[in-house]
Amino acid sequence: MRTTVGIIGAGPAGLLLARLLHNAGIDSVVLETRDRAYVEQRQRAGILEQGTVDVLREAGAAARMDREGIPHDGIELRFDRRRHRVDFPALTGGRSVMVYAQTEVCKDLIALQLAAGGPLLFEAEALAVEGAETESPRVRFRHQGREDVLECDYVVGCDGSWGVARKAVPAEVSRVFERTYPFGWLGILADVPPSHDELVYARHDRGFALLSMRSPTVTRAYLQVPAGTDAAEWGDEEIWDELDRRLETDDPQWALKRGPITSKSVTPMRSHVHEPMRHGRVFLAGDAAHIVPPTGAKGLNLAVGDVVTFARALAEYRETGSDARLEAYSATCLRRVWQAERFSYAMTTMLHRAPDASPFDDRIHLAQLDRITTARPAETDLAESYTGFPFS
């Protein structure tokens, strides 16, 4: 099998890249280890930055998002029983975000790819990437019980932190930067309308809480829990009671809505960056190159920035013969990645309470929140960071 761009992984990054390349007249093949049902049901991110929304629209992949997505013009911060709304458009010149689950983005892109795109092979396990430093890298993969080879001009690894693409970057040129946090998120889905029309981020002495949504009838919520927690340890009413405590406010008009919990899971928290994001003709994108704690809603959006950068660089090379942007891919992406890491780390440490936190630490984090809610430059930095950094 032969193609211009071999894409490993049919998450939102790989699928969007295939759509961008198709629209630019560049052929590709997507290999995905899992089956279609798994990809379309995998619960992940739910916040799309302004830039991601714009790219999906430009790619012709936003019709259902525009019908069913929920635009958000701000978030609410809660701490010390206080409430403060951050108004995104007022602080950023009009930018906002969209609540639209990653599962839905994948469904939309899969439908487009199967209807009018290049090959998308499910249950095709990538075994190795070879020849990264040649002009014809290859992906060895197993599909329908037999091994095959995908010959490419370029390989883009969108196959996550444990995928094979990263292994094509030699250990002697790789650098890894990471931090593991001593807590995770207990996340729930519940069949009850959201208790607030925007996301609520709460810092409390008992730990962080986040009130979110998946739709007008489905609530998504999170609680900070110790690392290694088993979701089954938490009863439904215990979860609602804890959310009530951590989201408490002096406003008598607000109340938490409770309903049947349909899903529970625990997400570990870590920050991770692999440098470089390119070696020869193998390019890393999304979780294959970087992971952020979910506090800043950056993971999916960073992956989109990576594949947009690659697609634009390859299109320019084909149009002009200049490979300058391809050569600069890693450096270009990493500038954005490190800004997102900075923001996600700041939000995580400010809003969570570490197990060994001292009274001094608590006061510092409360002072940071007070600064954001009383000083426009600090609030603007949060709004600009949350709604998204430029793709190039």
Side-chain angles (χ1 to χ4, degrees), residues 188-196 211-221 240 243 255-262:
I188 65 165
L189 284 171
D191 286 337
V192 60
S195 301
H196 192 59
L211 195 59
S212 183
M213 64 196 69
R214 277 295 178 263
S215 75
T217 60
V218 176
T219 288
R220 183 72 159 150
W240 289 120
L243 283 167
L256 179 68
K257 299 174 184 176
R258 301 185 179 211
I261 293 176
T262 60

Side-chain angles (χ1 to χ4, degrees), residues 374-389:
T374 58
R376 191 175 179 89
E379 189 178 17
T380 299
D381 180 64
L382 187 153
E384 290 180 342
S385 299
Y386 198 99
T387 56
F389 305 103

